[in-house]
Amino acid sequence: MIKFSDKQLKIPNLMKPVYLATVGMSKFGRAFPETRTEELCIQALTDAADFVNMTPAELKQYIHTCYYGHFADHFGDQLLGEAVIHDRLGLDPLGNIGVKTGGATGGSAMWEAVKAVASGYSDCALALGWERMDEVPTDEGNHLISAAADKDWETPLGHIYTGYYAVMAQRYWKVFGKEEDSFRRTMAEVSVKNHGYARMNPHAQAPMKITVDDVIKSPIVADPLRVLDCCLMSVGSACGIVCDEKTAYEITDNPLRIYIAAGSHTLRVADRRDMTIPLLPNETPNQYDNLGKEFPGADRYPGFTGFLAARMAAYYAYRMAGVNDPTEDLDVVELHDAFTISDIQTYEDIGIRPYGQGRDYIESGDAYVINPNNNKPGALPSNPSGGLIGCMHAVGATGLMQIAEIGYHIWNRWDDIHEPQAKWDAFGREKPSDWTSLQVNGAKRGLAISHAGVGSHVTCTILMDPNKILKED
Amino acid sequence: MPKTEEEKGFVDVVNGRYKPKGKFHISEANQPIFNKDTGKLAGVTNPRDMTYIHSYGGEAVFFESLGKGKLMATRCDNDNCETKGSIYQPFRIFCPDCLRRATVIDMTEIAQKTAKIHSFIVTHRSGAFNSLPKPIKFINIEFEGVVTILMSVLAVGDPAIGKRIVPIFNTKAPTYTITDLRFVPEGTLESELPEGFTF
Ligand SMILES: [Zn+2]
């Protein structure tokens, strides 16, 4: 589709307000050779119960339907893995369904849960996701991941998904980054920031104190991408429970409002056709008329440099939630930093910066909890969890981890989750002696982007303190 | 260990059904996985040797034509379609807008005269079952008058955005997969092409 009808551009409407009551996460790691997936899922749901001072049995009493995010079941040679987990969580005979949208699976599971509550079908719904990619040899794992590309037109070319994505990075690097050393360093700063934030997160898999030069000198994957530009491959689980107003306040005194929307785009990047840029509320008609002059080669949209699915998810979600300008209206974001450069592309797709100016979000210091340029709080901190680069990318759980992390900030309970020595000990991880709180002080609204591969599916979740909503119901 | 000729699985279509012959999997016993530090059982392996049987359907003509040195595409010729005239490469059986069957066209000459690199990536990595020589030089190709940008690989030389390239085809021993199509810089000599490939 290259033109949209008014019906297709309708702003999504939830028939009643939906609230996020609680969230939970397991430990995340590269491999868990002596742990079954269900053990991690139970860890996440138990964590969600602990968060609202309930036993898991008490919390389960509220759940009416379940939405499970688990993408790559061919890794486990187990179909209906959702039914296995549902049974082990002791939630039979409740209705449940599995959701599979690649890297966006976690966000998509939440999309389904929110709609179930908004429609009145359920008063309380569980969205829980997990992934494990550690149970095959690495090269076979690469093949299995490449099966998420087109079986006939892409997978036979190398059986390596990174190659299908990286051509987009190359185009952005050449057209918008202009192959400048300064842009390369800005890309690296994303990795330095996110690995650094992961140091404060006991759940995180890749805490690292590194420099820009460490990133630039790390082993090459596909120029300009180096190992430290890339996200992790992880095992773990995360969940969130959404409710109508009455049920939410039975579970907790301070649930958060949740809005969520989704977009999509061609599975093969090769199938993208040119179109005009759908504008976000903080953009103006004709704003991009000279984009191709300013950045030679940028005359095609979305071309290889924009993620239309992310743009559309934000297009719907911002108007749904009353967000005009993300930097003004939001306090913290968790973005899908699959690669340092795709993180920068996303800043533009979701309107944190206009197309062509994504790098400024990092360079200005706005993306940091503490702006390194002036030592004041950053305007819109990004990925204090460590993101996919520093914390985890357990595909089906990632989007739910991001939502949980945004929730912790707005609940002002980020420290409860990330500070306790007992948790560092239980996870067998050493708490750094310079551990620092990354709580975004006074956070009232936040956003999480859950994104699949080359951009086939994206969800945009917005959480708000119910006293700080931007749009009357 | 590669399978012997008689261990290989072949499939024909006979009377409208798939008819497999030969051997399709070799069963292999599972093995226990022990923790070397504790001596305790952690799990088991589940060996699998599977063959998928897959229909190209309406795209079969595209894959068959590669072995004949032709690059086929499709074009919507529906007078009532607002994107009538759009040429698709990748080949699409149906127009994505009007969902009417598109017309199959031979675009070999368009490719020979106008193919240009839109983006590229060079990687030494690959997954299991890869058959391409490494490093793999992925390229995305713009063609004049085509609304999409095909992905393929560059078989000779170094990729650069804007570089003029021409298609080459595995006509001598076609595999009937997308790997039968590759590209080389304009001006490449026939003697420089990978084995089995012709212009
Ligand atoms: Zn048509």
Side-chain angles (χ1 to χ4, degrees), chain B residues 4-188:
Chain B
T4 63
E5 206 53 33
E6 66 170 15
E7 281 173 341
K8 282 182 186 166
F10 295 89
V11 181
D12 292 316
V13 175
V14 178
N15 290 332
R17 304 177 79 155
Y18 287 124
K19 196 157 176 76
K21 60 180 188 229
K23 211 164 179 180
F24 277 84
H25 62 269
I26 300 167
S27 293
E28 189 184 319
N30 72 280
Q31 302 294 334
I33 302 170
F34 287 100
N35 181 326
K36 282 287 185 194
D37 299 323
T38 64
K40 288 185 176 162
L41 180 71
V44 292
T45 65
N46 302 129
R48 299 274 184 266
D49 171 20
M50 296 272 301
T51 299
Y52 292 94
I53 299 171
H54 174 53
S55 172
Y56 276 145
E59 291 182 8
V61 60
F62 171 85
F63 291 100
E64 192 167 14
S65 297
L66 296 179
K68 298 173 184 162
K70 285 183 191 304
L71 182 63
M72 309 307 277
T74 51
R75 182 183 62 219
C76 178
D77 287 336
N78 176 6
D79 289 334
N80 297 319
C81 178
E82 64 176 17
T83 55
K84 181 192 167 185
S86 295
I87 297 175
Y88 296 96
Q89 187 64 276
F91 182 109
R92 300 178 77 104
I93 307 166
F94 294 93
C95 167
D97 293 327
C98 65
L99 296 187
R100 300 300 183 201
R101 194 171 268 270
T103 308
V104 177
I105 62 166
D106 180 345
M107 64 163 283
T108 317
E109 208 180 306
I110 297 177
Q112 285 162 343
K113 290 188 173 153
T114 74
K116 236 173 38 176
I117 295 178
H118 180 76
S119 193
F120 68 89
I121 205 83
V122 179
T123 182
H124 288 264
R125 300 187 175 211
S126 66
F129 314 114
N130 171 45
S131 60
L132 299 177
K134 289 198 267 188
I136 302 172
K137 293 170 267 182
F138 287 104
I139 52 170
N140 311 88
I141 307 139
E142 302 172 12
F143 307 101
E144 233 168 75
V146 174
V147 299
T148 51
I149 299 173
L150 179 71
M151 183 166 80
S152 184
V153 293
L154 190 71
V156 172
D158 294 320
I161 288 178
K163 193 174 221 173
R164 268 280 292 125
I165 50 176
V166 294
I168 57 169
F169 303 90
N170 182 356
T171 52
K172 300 202 173 140
T175 64
Y176 303 100
T177 70
I178 195 69
T179 62
D180 288 347
L181 172 67
R182 298 180 198 178
F183 285 77
V184 293
E186 193 178 34
T188 300

Side-chain angles (χ1 to χ4, degrees), chain A residues 159-234:
Chain A
H159 300 253
I160 183 80
Y161 196 94
T162 315
Y164 320 144
Y165 164 74
V167 293
M168 301 177 66
Q170 179 79 259
R171 183 81 189 176
Y172 189 94
W173 160 246
K174 292 259 187 342
V175 171
F176 290 105
K178 300 184 173 178
E179 300 180 80
E180 293 170 4
D181 284 345
S182 61
F183 181 75
R184 183 65 194 86
R185 297 185 76 79
T186 299
M187 284 167 59
E189 292 284 8
V190 175
S191 176
V192 172
K193 170 173 80 69
N194 294 358
H195 279 296
Y197 287 164
R199 295 179 64 242
M200 312 306 161
N201 183 355
H203 294 264
Q205 177 184 334
M208 284 185 205
K209 201 170 188 170
I210 50 170
T211 65
V212 163
D213 287 328
D214 292 334
V215 178
I216 293 173
K217 288 176 183 155
S218 64
I220 198 156
V221 174
D223 187 65
L225 298 173
R226 304 258 167 174
V227 165
L228 288 173
D229 287 298
C230 304
C231 68
L232 303 163
M233 190 186 274
S234 315

Side-chain angles (χ1 to χ4, degrees), chain A residues 9 74 83 94 122 129 133 152 174 200 253 310 322 326 338 349 406 459 466:
Chain A
L9 291 178
H74 59 333
L94 303 180
S122 294
M133 293 186 162
D152 294 325
K174 292 259 187 342
M200 312 306 161
D253 291 336
D349 295 314
I406 294 295
T459 65

Side-chain angles (χ1 to χ4, degrees), chain A residues 9-14 111 257-263 278-283 288 307-336 343-355 361 380-382 406 445-450 458-464 468-473:
Chain A
L9 291 178
K10 179 202 117 134
I11 301 314
N13 181 36
L14 303 177
W111 189 43
R257 282 292 296 271
I258 183 167
Y259 307 83
I260 183 166
L279 298 178
L280 297 178
N282 63 341
E283 294 173 330
Y288 293 117
F307 293 118
L308 176 63
R311 168 66 37 148
M312 291 312 297
Y315 180 99
Y316 291 124
Y318 287 179
R319 290 170 169 98
M320 199 178 173
V323 171
N324 182 53
D325 183 300
T327 310
E328 291 282 310
D329 296 335
L330 305 174
D331 304 304
V332 57
V333 296
E334 284 281 341
L335 306 180
H336 187 94
D343 203 48
I344 294 172
Q345 290 170 273
T346 300
Y347 309 156
E348 303 174 1
D349 295 314
I350 67 170
I352 293 175
R353 288 293 186 278
Y355 279 113
Y361 178 45
L380 183 64
S382 165
I406 294 295
R445 305 184 201 105
L447 164 154
I449 293 292
S450 189
V458 175
T459 65
C460 176
T461 304
I462 296 170
L463 299 180
M464 294 188 191
K468 297 289 178 184
I469 61 173
L470 294 170
K471 195 175 174 182
E472 291 301 312
D473 294 317

